[in-house]
């Protein structure tokens, strides 16, 4: 399901559907209940992206709760999908609540690999709330710092781009974004 997560993050719904169509039957056949729950949550996310609605967002919440029951890792990732759904529906306050839970999950489970994205999404929620641009900027900087310390260049690039989109972003913000983009391009060339 790693490929399915990558497809989901890239918004490649066709690839996601193909991978889930292959992976879910194997999970069921081999009785890999945890993997089946992951696949079901990703399938619910795919359906939400195809047709965003409040009932679909609630379905994501149920699917993520099923992943949590499995006791497996990647719970913060799935919580981020849930938060993105509510953010897409114009409910940033609900998304912030979900992200606080995701951050708590990440800390308690010692799943730090998605922390940068959780902080970036918090910033996106504050950005959506308009009046909280300073909080948004702090979240984006925290996300970039975490991503940089983890060597997660793609997540750093996301955070830098989000910070650059803020009204009144400085030339320093632009320089950091350009440097990150150059590093990303250099990595693609090697």
């Amino acid at each position: 399901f790693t490929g399915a997560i990558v497809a989901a993050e890239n918004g490649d719904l066709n690839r996601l559907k193909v991978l889930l169509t292959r992976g879910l039957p194997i999970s069921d056949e081999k009785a890999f209940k945890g993997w089946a729950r992951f696949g079901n949550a990703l399938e619910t996310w795919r359906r939400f992206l195809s047709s965003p609605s409040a009932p679909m967002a609630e379905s994501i919440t149920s699917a993520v709760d099923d992943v949590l029951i499995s006791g497996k890792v990647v719970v913060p990732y799935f919580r981020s999908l849930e938060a993105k759904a509510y953010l897409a529906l114009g409910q940033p306050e609900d998304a912030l609540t979900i992200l606080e839970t995701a951050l708590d999950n990440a800390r308690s489970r010692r799943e730090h690999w998605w922390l940068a994205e959780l902080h970036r999404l918090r910033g996106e929620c504050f950005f959506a709330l308009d009046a909280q641009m300073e909080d948004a900027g702090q979240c984006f900087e925290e996300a970039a710092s975490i991503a940089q310390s983890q060597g997660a260049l793609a997540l750093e690039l996301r955070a830098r781009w989000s910070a650059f989109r803020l009204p009144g972003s400085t030339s320093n913000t632009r320089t950091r974004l350009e440097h990150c983009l150059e590093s990303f391009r250099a990595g693609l060339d090697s």
Side-chain angles (χ1 to χ4, degrees):
F1 287 107
T2 303
I5 289 174
V6 171
E9 285 305 302
N10 289 333
D12 188 345
L13 300 183
N14 292 329
R15 180 79 177 139
L16 180 58
K17 185 175 184 176
V18 167
L19 292 169
L20 292 173
T21 300
R22 291 179 189 164
L24 282 170
I26 294 169
S27 296
D28 290 339
E29 176 186 318
K30 303 290 183 182
F32 296 150
K33 292 179 183 174
W35 288 109
R37 288 180 175 126
F38 292 172
N40 288 331
L42 287 169
E43 173 58 19
T44 305
W45 174 246
R46 186 191 68 74
R47 289 194 330 259
F48 174 83
L49 291 176
S50 298
S51 181
S53 67
M56 283 304 304
E58 291 169 11
S59 295
I60 292 171
T61 299
S62 295
V64 170
D65 288 344
D66 284 346
V67 170
L68 187 58
I69 289 168
S70 73
K72 303 288 184 186
V73 296
V74 302
V75 170
Y77 170 75
F78 286 106
R79 288 278 183 223
S80 75
L81 295 182
E82 183 183 4
K84 283 194 260 187
Y86 284 94
L87 188 57
L89 293 174
Q91 299 174 24
E93 296 91 352
D94 293 335
L96 275 170
T97 300
I98 293 163
L99 289 167
E100 291 305 321
T101 301
L103 285 164
D104 288 344
N105 290 153
R107 290 181 192 110
S108 67
R109 294 167 162 273
R110 297 184 179 178
E111 283 189 63
H112 303 287
W113 67 280
W114 204 241
L115 275 177
E117 184 65 1
L118 295 175
H119 283 284
R120 189 192 72 79
L121 288 170
R122 282 185 73 232
E124 292 293 345
C125 291
F126 288 127
F127 185 76
L129 292 169
D130 286 332
Q132 300 183 20
M133 295 301 157
E134 186 175 321
D135 290 334
Q138 289 172 353
C139 290
F140 296 147
E141 283 307 312
E142 177 74 10
S145 176
I146 290 168
Q148 192 173 45
S149 73
Q150 294 175 336
L153 198 52
L155 295 179
E156 182 185 355
L157 184 57
R158 279 182 170 184
R160 298 279 181 217
W161 178 252
S162 292
F164 180 70
R165 290 180 25 246
L166 286 174
S169 64
T170 64
S171 61
N172 188 30
T173 303
R174 182 184 181 95
T175 301
R176 288 178 178 181
L177 173 61
E178 289 171 347
H179 176 72
C180 186
L181 189 55
E182 287 171 17
S183 297
F184 193 80
R185 285 183 183 145
L188 291 175
D189 292 338
S190 61

